[in-house]
Amino acid sequence: MNKQKRTEIFTRFREANPSPTTELNYSSPFELLIAVILSAQATDVGVNKATNRLFPVANTPESILALGVDGLKDYIKTIGLFNSKAENVIKTCRILVEKHGGQVPESREDLEALPGVGRKTANVVLNTAFGQPAMAVDTHIFRVSNRTGIAPGKNVLEVEKRLMRLVPREFLLDAHHWLILHGRYTCTARKPKCGACLIEDLCEFKDKTDYLD
């Protein structure tokens, strides 16, 4: 795929959705960090249901620490892997209080040192909370990048690096959100809705469907 096509793809994404953002509910970098930790192998809808109960009660490292592991579990037990996630969140809160003055750090190195935070989670926080160009490649972005030809790669890191290099700079900050939303609602895993896709004529996927939503 050439630069001209990529530019047109992201121009259309921007025209359709000028201010894309995460579907996780949050009102601070800390709330976003916790929501993203909880979202591993879980849906945003499921995480929002839990955090809508949790955050009015505890939405700082100190207040979540005060709940303790068992207290936290009561709020997040509807989410998959809640036992290990509760442990990681408590450990993360302790590190934030002891090492970062209760604030979420703005560096990748410090974020990835937190329990339950990998490269993808760090990228979401850097991009969405702190406005840094970063690409959190999940299953949706991996699929869309490969299927469309925007930035094909054999693994998540390869796709991330290609996207960072190939997405035109003016679109880099929001590209992560556009690609996730496109994969979640249009370029779906089993049967992409090619007939309803705003970039169908630019996409290089060979087995297009005439499926409309």
Side-chain angles (χ1 to χ4, degrees), residues 67-96:
L67 288 177
V69 172
D70 290 335
L72 178 58
K73 283 180 186 178
D74 283 341
Y75 288 95
I76 66 168
K77 60 190 174 187
T78 53
I79 300 174
L81 309 175
F82 73 92
N83 284 310
S84 59
K85 287 176 182 177
E87 300 274 357
N88 283 335
V89 167
I90 291 294
K91 288 175 188 170
T92 283
C93 289
R94 191 168 289 120
I95 291 170
L96 291 178

Side-chain angles (χ1 to χ4, degrees), residues 10 16 22 36 43 71 98 100 124 155 160 164 174-175 177 207:
F10 285 101
T22 179
V36 180
T43 66
E98 292 174 358
H100 302 287
V124 173
N155 56 55
E160 179 191 329
M164 292 299 293
D174 291 323
H177 295 302
D207 302 315

Side-chain angles (χ1 to χ4, degrees), residues 1-12 148-150 168 199-205 208:
M1 181 176 286
N2 61 36
K3 184 180 180 182
Q4 188 178 351
K5 261 193 189 180
R6 285 192 194 91
T7 300
E8 178 60 23
I9 283 171
F10 285 101
T11 297
R12 290 186 194 179
T148 61
I150 290 171
I199 61 164
E200 183 185 9
D201 57 316
L202 302 165
C203 169
E204 297 181 355
F205 183 47
K208 290 194 175 81

Side-chain angles (χ1 to χ4, degrees), residues 96-115:
L96 291 178
V97 169
E98 292 174 358
K99 290 190 176 180
H100 302 287
Q103 300 299 305
V104 177
E106 294 187 37
S107 82
R108 175 187 300 286
E109 186 180 6
D110 286 338
L111 284 167
E112 288 188 19
L114 299 171

